[in-house]
């Protein structure tokens, strides 16, 4: 028996590789490869998640922008519709005024008062037939 304390300590701290230890190491090696491939797959799923998150945020921004544009265009449509209605009312007034100014009785009255014109007597009217 070797009673040297340093050799006993060296023997205790030395790694022991036995056949059972090498078999266990061989069994864990494929697991380590699987874990590594899981990490790579996780990175792929992380990338996919980031792309989907970006797509969702971009979709939300586009939705907000399109709703804003829709509301702005609707307000513009309402303003133009109101302006169209006002112009239609003005057009009706102008047509009524034109009809009033061009009435035969009004023209006859102005011709008598301002111009001193009058209808000719019946005896002075000559009808020409072709």
């Amino acid at each position: 028996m070797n009673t040297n304390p340093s050799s006993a300590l060296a023997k205790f701290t030395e790694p022991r590789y036995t056949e059972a230890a090498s078999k266990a190491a061989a069994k864990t090696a494929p697991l380590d490869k699987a874990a590594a491939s899981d990490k790579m797959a996780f990175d792929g799923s992380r990338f996919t998640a980031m792309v989907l998150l970006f797509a969702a945020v971009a979709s939300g921004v586009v939705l907000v922008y399109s709703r804003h544009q829709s509301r702005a265009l609707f307000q513009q449509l309402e303003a133009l519709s109101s302006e169209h209605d006002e112009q239609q009312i003005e057009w009706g007034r102008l047509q009524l005024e034109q009809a009033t100014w061009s009435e035969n009785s009004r023209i006859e009255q102005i011709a008598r008062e301002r111009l001193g014109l009058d209808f000719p007597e019946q005896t002075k009217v000559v009808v020409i037939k072709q």
Side-chain angles (χ1 to χ4, degrees):
M1 210 190 240
N2 189 357
T3 58
N4 186 357
S6 65
S7 67
L9 182 63
K11 195 176 191 184
F12 181 71
T13 58
E14 240 176 53
R16 294 184 186 181
Y17 293 105
T18 61
E19 193 174 318
S22 66
K23 284 182 184 177
K27 286 182 182 178
T28 59
L31 293 177
D32 291 339
K33 288 180 184 177
S37 67
D38 284 346
K39 271 189 176 180
M40 291 174 69
F42 179 72
D43 289 342
S45 65
R46 182 180 291 173
F47 176 74
T48 304
M50 293 298 286
V51 168
L52 289 175
L53 177 66
F54 176 75
V57 169
S59 174
V61 168
V62 168
L63 177 68
V64 168
Y65 178 74
S66 67
R67 290 269 173 99
H68 173 72
Q69 285 295 100
S70 174
R71 287 184 181 122
L73 290 173
F74 182 74
Q75 287 177 346
Q76 186 178 4
L77 174 68
E78 288 297 314
L80 290 173
S81 178
S82 175
E83 184 179 338
H84 177 262
D85 292 343
E86 290 172 6
Q87 288 179 353
Q88 285 292 97
I89 292 169
E90 180 67 20
W91 173 250
R93 286 184 196 141
L94 290 173
Q95 285 183 326
L96 182 61
E97 185 177 343
Q98 181 186 16
T100 304
W101 283 95
S102 63
E103 283 183 359
N104 288 336
S105 61
R106 183 174 185 284
I107 294 173
E108 184 180 332
Q109 179 186 6
I110 292 173
R112 282 187 186 162
E113 291 174 0
R114 293 186 189 168
L115 303 175
L117 299 176
D118 199 9
F119 276 112
E121 296 174 10
Q122 198 61 278
T123 58
K124 294 184 179 179
V125 176
V126 177
V127 180
I128 302 174
K129 294 184 181 178
Q130 283 188 353

